[in-house]
Amino acid sequence: MTRTVTLGFDVGVGSADGRAVAATVTAAENAGFGYVTFDDDDVATGGVDAVTRAAFVAATTSTVGLVATASTTYAEPFHLSSQLASLDYASRGRAGWVASRSLAPDVAAAWGREVVSADTDLVREQRDSVTVARGLWDSWEDDAVIRDFPTGRFLNQQKLHYVDFVGEEYSVKGPAIVPRPPQGQVVVFGRFGEIDADLLDVVLVENEADARAVTGAHVVLDVEAPGSPTAAAALVERIAALDDAIGGIRLRPDLIDDDLRVAARYVLPQLFERDLAHRPVPATTLRSTLGLARPVNRFEAAR
Amino acid sequence: MTALFRPDATVHLGVFYQGVNHTTIWSDPASGSQIDFETFRRLITTAERGLFDAFFLGEGLRLREQGGKILDLDIAGRPDAITQLAALAGITTNIGLVATQNTTYNEPVDLARRLSGLDVLSGGRAGWNVVTTDNAWTGENFRRGGYLDHADRYVRAGEFLDVARALWNAGGTPDSVRIQSSQFDIASAAPIPRSPQDHPVIFQAGDSSTGRDFAAQHADVIFSAHGTHFDDALDFANDIRARLVARGRPDDDIKILPGTQIVLADHERDVDEKVRWVKEGQFTGPTTLSIAGQVWGRDLSDRDPDGPLPTEDPIVSGVVGARGSAFNGIDVDARVREWRSLAEAKNLSLRQVVIETSARTGFAGTPSQVADELTRWVRGGASDGFNITPYLVPSGLDDIVDKLVPELQERGSYPAAYGGSTLREHLGLRRPSIGE
């Protein structure tokens, strides 16, 4: 059996036109991509935020994973975790999160906060944000809702948990306001070298050397999307010869809709034909598309 | 008391999907998941078929507690409002999408941007129900932590709205926004795209005098608590009209949509029984004892809900303090006295007293009777319509849309189709004055 790769497509910061957003993501789903990533250009530069764009197409798509970029530097982790869990419910288990950083001082000014610029501080905010979100996603066990008519209890208190996160900068009590998401944990993506891979499900890398340095996560190589049939053929050969450390590729287009059409016609059909990749199966979760298990709830495991 | 006479006025309907708390019955076989997307899809699709102006979501920032433990009797667990409404925007075309969002635990540029995103993607259908909180208990989930002085809640909310409006006004222009106020020090060059309705529609629900003044200054719509008695609703509406005029706004500049519940039965003889069934589903024995426990400040879970009221005095700072509920900060001695005299006068059990004092009765009757009553309210100036909370999801709007709406249409007090495409147009609101 040949080794297969997972396929992602980056739809960038996209359009503010709902129909255009939906048309692009639907085209990526029809082409057979496992997921799309929505970039976010942060509060300082406007545009529609990635979580909202991803949510807008959640109920009109069915197999493509919806991976929203959201910065960890200034946002409230409690809100972020709720937003991402809600995206997971609306998409029936196809939500992902690129946990990014905000580097521009303008972003701090828009939040009305002191600039976070030192690398150690950026690392801390990323780590704490992901830690809090993951804790909150486990704060309801899967079977916390019991509808126990004889005692009048809707919830089993024993299956709801305070997360009691205490960091250097803030603390979060919990539990979440949203029940545990369908995937158990929303799929968390991060850039190589920014966040400890232990906190991630997927690590995005720029080259094969970095890929070999990652352990314990699904590794995705960022590749420039081909703009022509010739470039597409070359990409197919490159994928056929990929290093074993790489589990998937993500195409970064120059012209989103044009490059998507090229990929749909000249890359994905060849990959499927040669058994180098598969279309997502119906009713799939993003986790299963990426070959990741549904995590056991930490509180259930500790019982 | 001046009743207006508005012979051509039409009823505006919204649906407030609570989906949580004891007003939503979970013990019925038809009670669906409060979180599964299909529940929301079915409700909003039904509401849009019934030409509703808006679909509302509440906001949760911390799970309710009683006696230091998570309250386990009521439905809990709900989605983030804006994220969920964005998903619902993708499967609807006309209905407004209103998110309850707190100004205490959000930051203005972030929230204004997310509301704009919903507004732009939906083609101008977003609304924001502005709420405020002051307690440190909710703050324990947030970076800011802490709390606001009770009086500062509305100061922050007002300044928050000023920032949001400045950003929306700059939308689609190269202008940047710089705001320094008591709560905020913000600079943002945010070319947020311009929405077809300019700004999200602003809703407000506060009922205190400060809350009403805040609404008169900032709101387009009031989601009031006066949705049961005509005279009480008319007093409230007249009070709001007076506050508007005092601020130099036209007296019809705000639409008033009381929150209410509507119980329908096909035949008049079945109405009372249906109402009793709803109330007993909402106020189960354990829920009755929980609510009474919050008032008395004692654990009453071993009492008989259908028996007499507890004989003890309430404990003012009781161990069973409820967090995140309506009973924070009430005068419990006065409340217990009121309950005792009610029980004595009408010979009521504890459960009957709780139902009588806590239930939002709203409207009950045949579709024809309720249509008459809703029309009378709107044409008499007591409200501009109603924001209906279904007591059952996802089927709770079915009979309202299938039976009540046609009755309203027959009376000429309900539209036959959506007239415009934005929430502002549905509600008949003026466009915001850009650059105010």
Side-chain angles (χ1 to χ4, degrees), chain A residues 86-146:
Chain A
S86 302
L87 177 62
D88 206 39
Y89 273 101
S91 63
R92 301 207 171 283
R94 291 178 288 121
W97 173 27
V98 182
S100 67
R101 304 175 167 188
S102 301
L103 298 175
D106 295 354
V107 179
W111 280 95
R113 297 260 301 279
E114 294 289 311
V115 179
V116 176
S117 57
D119 199 58
T120 49
D121 296 341
L122 290 162
V123 166
R124 182 196 61 233
E125 293 303 337
Q126 268 178 306
R127 185 194 62 224
D128 288 359
S129 229
V130 174
T131 303
V132 168
R134 286 201 179 283
L136 288 166
W137 293 332
D138 273 359
S139 65
W140 290 58
E141 293 186 36
D142 290 317
D143 52 355
V145 171
I146 50 174

Side-chain angles (χ1 to χ4, degrees), chain A residues 224-249:
Chain A
E224 195 181 316
S228 69
T230 316
L235 176 64
V236 170
E237 294 312 322
R238 185 180 168 193
I239 290 170
L242 272 183
D243 189 295
D244 277 356
I246 291 166
I249 58 147

Side-chain angles (χ1 to χ4, degrees), chain B residues 81-325:
Chain B
I82 293 176
T83 309
Q84 190 77 352
L85 291 169
L88 292 166
I91 56 167
T92 52
T93 48
N94 286 295
I95 194 166
L97 306 153
V98 185
T100 301
Q101 295 282 293
N102 199 301
T103 53
T104 306
Y105 301 110
N106 275 291
E107 297 303 326
V109 176
D110 174 56
L111 183 59
R113 178 181 183 230
R114 288 189 293 115
L115 285 162
S116 286
L118 175 64
D119 205 18
V120 170
L121 290 180
S122 66
R125 295 189 281 138
W128 172 21
N129 181 33
V130 181
V131 293
T132 62
T133 301
D134 60 0
N135 66 70
W137 176 77
T138 307
E140 287 178 10
N141 281 333
F142 298 96
R143 281 179 186 267
R144 287 183 71 234
Y147 58 95
L148 280 171
D149 193 70
H150 195 71
D152 283 344
R153 289 180 308 150
Y154 280 120
V155 173
R156 182 174 165 97
E159 293 181 4
F160 197 115
L161 268 162
D162 292 340
V163 176
R165 282 207 178 90
L167 288 162
W168 293 330
N169 286 341
T173 74
D175 299 349
S176 58
V177 170
R178 176 86 183 90
I179 296 226
Q180 285 171 292
S181 57
S182 77
Q183 299 283 323
F184 303 109
D185 180 359
I186 278 161
S188 177
I192 288 170
R194 168 76 62 186
S195 155
Q197 61 169 0
D198 295 319
H199 296 185
V201 175
I202 303 296
F203 290 72
Q204 213 272 331
D207 202 28
S208 65
S209 186
T210 317
R212 292 181 189 196
D213 272 334
F214 182 86
Q217 185 180 350
H218 293 286
D220 299 308
V221 182
I222 296 180
F223 173 20
S224 87
H226 303 268
T228 295
H229 304 294
F230 179 90
D231 290 349
D232 163 65
L234 184 60
D235 276 346
F236 175 81
N238 283 334
D239 178 66
I240 294 297
R241 287 191 271 266
R243 288 175 201 256
L244 281 171
V245 171
R247 291 202 163 266
R249 290 176 69 181
D251 73 356
D252 63 347
D253 217 29
I254 282 186
K255 302 298 173 197
I256 300 171
L257 300 183
T260 197
Q261 176 175 285
I262 294 179
V263 180
L264 296 174
D266 288 343
H267 301 290
E268 205 172 338
R269 62 177 180 272
D270 300 328
V271 172
D272 288 351
E273 194 188 335
K274 182 93 177 265
V275 169
R276 190 163 42 249
W277 175 83
V278 170
K279 287 186 177 166
E280 286 177 0
Q282 292 175 326
F283 296 86
T284 61
T287 294
T288 297
L289 297 174
S290 158
I291 289 172
Q294 290 168 41
V295 172
W296 261 266
R298 298 171 184 271
D299 181 356
L300 301 173
S301 59
D302 58 346
R303 308 299 166 92
D304 175 7
D306 297 308
L309 270 59
T311 51
E312 307 93 320
D313 289 328
I315 301 168
V316 173
S317 56
V319 290
V320 194
R323 309 307 307 260
S325 92

Side-chain angles (χ1 to χ4, degrees), chain A residues 141-143 159 161 180 296-303:
Chain A
E141 293 186 36
D142 290 317
D143 52 355
K159 302 207 167 186
H161 304 276
R180 193 169 195 231
V296 174
N297 188 306
R298 72 191 64 184
F299 295 101
E300 196 181 329
R303 233 181 252 298

